[in-house]
Amino acid sequence: MARWYIIHAYSGFENKVRESILSEAERLGLSALVEAVEVPSETVTEVKRGKKVQVERKTMPGYVLAKLAMNDDVYHLVKNTAKVTGFLGNNNKPQPISDREAARYFGARDAAAAEPKKHISVDYEIGDSVKVLDGPFNSFTGVVEELDFDKNRVKVSVSIFGRATPVELDFEHVELVK
């Protein structure tokens, strides 16, 4: 019976570890014992240089989830894969997690896809002067540095005591200076 295990890998090499495990299982004839190997990730929208860009971000950097029917061959297959440091568990002994816990790691991705995004349109962009409407910086004027449409936040550089200070605010807490 296959169960989910968490594999600790070098950060940044999660996809390479996934491919290596799958190809090595195929080569050794262990594909039936390796049901799935997944890198938990989510697609986020970032604003870079004033443009929205879709980016794939890992939700658990340095970890890979694998659904394995564990035996000695599968253990050694995973343990001897390049860029793998071991299994998550007690004394580096593989400890399975429940299907419910595994679903939680992938559930964030599924819930985000199912949940409709609320779109807020803003009439300012990076480099524009804006006035802060609410909070401790009320009535301060600053320059927009970043727009984060996922979190509906804007980073504004305001001058405090003659020094530029970045402040992160909600979209509705600033307005364009006309």
Side-chain angles (χ1 to χ4, degrees):
M1 183 178 118
R3 309 246 341 245
W4 285 102
Y5 294 88
I6 299 176
I7 301 167
H8 188 260
Y10 290 4
S11 188
F13 290 92
E14 298 89 349
N15 291 323
K16 193 157 193 72
V17 165
R18 177 186 178 282
E19 296 303 318
S20 295
I21 291 172
L22 291 172
S23 64
E24 194 64 12
E26 185 75 32
R27 189 182 72 79
L28 295 173
L30 298 173
S31 295
L33 301 175
V34 178
E35 278 188 28
V37 182
E38 300 289 335
V39 178
S41 60
E42 62 185 355
T43 303
V44 294
T45 305
E46 292 181 351
V47 178
K48 293 185 179 179
R49 295 190 180 111
K51 295 186 172 118
K52 286 196 256 182
V53 180
Q54 294 283 343
V55 178
E56 191 76 17
R57 182 177 293 157
K58 293 175 182 67
T59 56
M60 293 174 44
Y63 294 98
V64 177
L65 267 67
K67 191 165 190 178
L68 310 169
M70 187 61 73
N71 66 17
D72 287 342
D73 294 333
V74 173
Y75 173 81
H76 291 294
L77 160 76
V78 173
K79 190 76 172 122
N80 295 330
T81 301
K83 311 292 185 205
V84 169
T85 58
F87 286 93
L88 206 62
N90 202 6
N91 294 330
N92 210 18
K93 181 181 175 211
Q95 190 159 357
I97 60 173
S98 67
D99 286 340
R100 199 155 118 212
E101 191 174 357
R104 197 175 73 203
Y105 293 118
F106 299 118
R109 175 177 60 190
D110 298 339
E115 176 183 307
K117 297 273 185 194
K118 109 176 154 179
H119 292 287
I120 294 180
S121 63
V122 293
D123 57 350
Y124 47 84
E125 56 188 38
I126 294 174
D128 286 348
S129 292
V130 292
K131 181 179 177 185
V132 180
L133 302 173
D134 195 18
F137 300 102
N138 188 10
S139 77
F140 276 75
T141 305
V143 178
V144 176
E145 290 184 345
E146 285 181 28
L147 296 169
D148 187 347
F149 289 96
D150 285 338
K151 297 178 183 172
N152 295 329
R153 311 261 308 156
V154 59
K155 188 183 280 186
V156 178
S157 178
V158 295
S159 180
I160 303 173
F161 304 119
R163 173 176 263 164
T165 305
V167 178
E168 197 168 306
L169 303 161
D170 290 333
F171 282 158
E172 54 268 4
H173 291 166
V174 295
E175 71 177 359
L176 184 64
V177 174
K178 295 179 171 118

